[in-house]
Amino acid sequence: MAVREMHPKEAAEKAIRKEKLFILDVRNTADFEDWKIEGAGIEHLNVPYFELIDGVEDILDKIPEDREVLVVCAKEGSSVMVAEMLAEHGRDVAYLKGGMKAWSEHLVPLKAGDMKDGGELYQFVRIGKGCLSYMAISNGEAALFDATRMTDVYLDFAKSINAEIKHVFDTHLHADHISGGRIIAEKTNAKYWLPPKDAGEVVFDYEPLEDGNEVMIGSTKISIEALYSPGHTIGSTSFVIDDRYLLTGDILFIDSIGRPDLAGLAEDWVGDLRKTLYSRYKELSDELIVLPAHFMIMDELNEDGTVSKRLGELYATNHGLNIADEDEFRNLVTKNLPPQPNAYQEIRQANMGKITPDEEQQREMEIGPNRCAVR
């Protein structure tokens, strides 16, 4: 039986649609337990490749015979060999093209909503990393928010809908992934915006993103209003778009809140985080649709694959927004944090322009799950 390759796009669609998928992951157990392909319909079996070098006979009774099996490894090579061995035993099998590295980089563009005057808002879901970025479009002009380093995806998408990127924003200095914002701005002659309080050490020019900035795109005059919202970083900035959408960056997620420690200043920033979540956001309309820069688990995805929820709903359901005692809140966000992102210090340096890692180094720096939230 022939082995076929499964592109991350197909695997992502299956995960979003909650389709059944059996995955044989042949990475080391520690890597598998740290980060894997997830979804409501996905079943896993983890057997490290070195245990299968001499054959797959010992695991055949654990491999389904009535459906396709997807073999996954870090870069592809090991999964191809294991898939071929399974195929020799009559199994219907595929391997993940590009491995988990390709899974980490795949972006799914989805329509997140409409604007009042005819524009559209798109969400780019980086399903393997939990990153979310956005493109607001009005009358042939676009603004981009929190772009990843996979810059061609955004450039090609804008071209496909005949939109010209005029503004590129980073809501804060990212520590879990390398921003593609500056490169996109350079390629499109767009303005690149960054909060100045996060930019004290950057070595490039930028437009200072400050509270009250308003940027218009298109003749429909869609308002993109910057809202200073520190806590994840000291410069973290949210956006209210079209009086309808609230882009929260890494301050507020669907099922959690942002962590304040990725610059080593958790004790200093926890007060800012609480003020943003419990005071500043409280002054906003409950009807605003929250669009965060990350998601933590697949359960946060809506039926169509987008990640969003009304602000009022989050105040009712998100535990991080319902801790009345300030000391309890402080302990939650400073004492019970998950591991910090892989290579986060180097990623911050890259986003400051201080180091210029090559493409393979950037891939290695970003490997692993999203770790921007308090759990």
Side-chain angles (χ1 to χ4, degrees), residues 27-154:
R27 294 175 297 150
N28 292 331
T29 301
D31 294 333
F32 168 77
E33 291 179 348
D34 183 51
W35 177 52
K36 62 180 74 70
I37 297 175
E38 297 184 276
I42 293 176
E43 183 181 353
H44 296 96
L45 173 64
N46 173 228
V47 183
Y49 169 71
F50 63 82
E51 295 182 17
L52 302 173
I53 293 175
D54 294 330
V56 295
E57 289 79 9
D58 290 345
I59 65 166
L60 287 177
D61 60 339
K62 300 176 182 178
I63 303 296
E65 299 183 58
D66 58 347
R67 55 188 161 124
E68 186 177 57
V69 175
L70 177 64
V71 186
V72 171
C73 67
K75 299 179 182 179
E76 179 187 310
S78 299
S79 64
V80 172
M81 297 178 68
V82 173
E84 289 174 345
M85 287 191 283
L86 287 172
E88 289 174 1
H89 288 274
R91 294 299 197 272
D92 183 8
V93 63
Y95 66 91
L96 183 65
K97 179 68 175 175
M100 289 299 286
K101 286 194 174 184
W103 176 249
S104 172
E105 295 177 343
H106 182 63
L107 288 169
V108 183
L110 299 168
K111 186 176 178 179
D114 292 308
M115 306 295 188
K116 289 180 293 190
D117 294 324
E120 297 175 318
L121 184 62
Y122 287 88
Q123 183 181 71
F124 292 76
V125 182
R126 187 177 178 185
I127 194 166
K129 185 70 177 171
C131 297
L132 301 167
S133 44
Y134 300 89
M135 186 181 292
I137 300 153
S138 174
N139 283 51
E141 293 185 359
L144 188 57
F145 302 83
D146 290 329
T148 69
R149 61 181 173 80
M150 280 67 77
T151 57
D152 286 347
V153 175
Y154 307 101

Side-chain angles (χ1 to χ4, degrees), residues 181-193:
R182 278 190 297 130
I183 292 175
I184 292 172
E186 290 170 3
K187 289 184 176 180
T188 60
N189 292 316
K191 289 185 177 181
Y192 175 65
W193 300 76

Side-chain angles (χ1 to χ4, degrees), residues 147-167:
T148 69
R149 61 181 173 80
M150 280 67 77
T151 57
D152 286 347
V153 175
Y154 307 101
L155 297 172
D156 292 345
F157 186 81
K159 184 177 180 180
S160 73
I161 57 173
N162 297 313
E164 184 178 358
I165 298 173
K166 292 289 191 178
H167 299 277

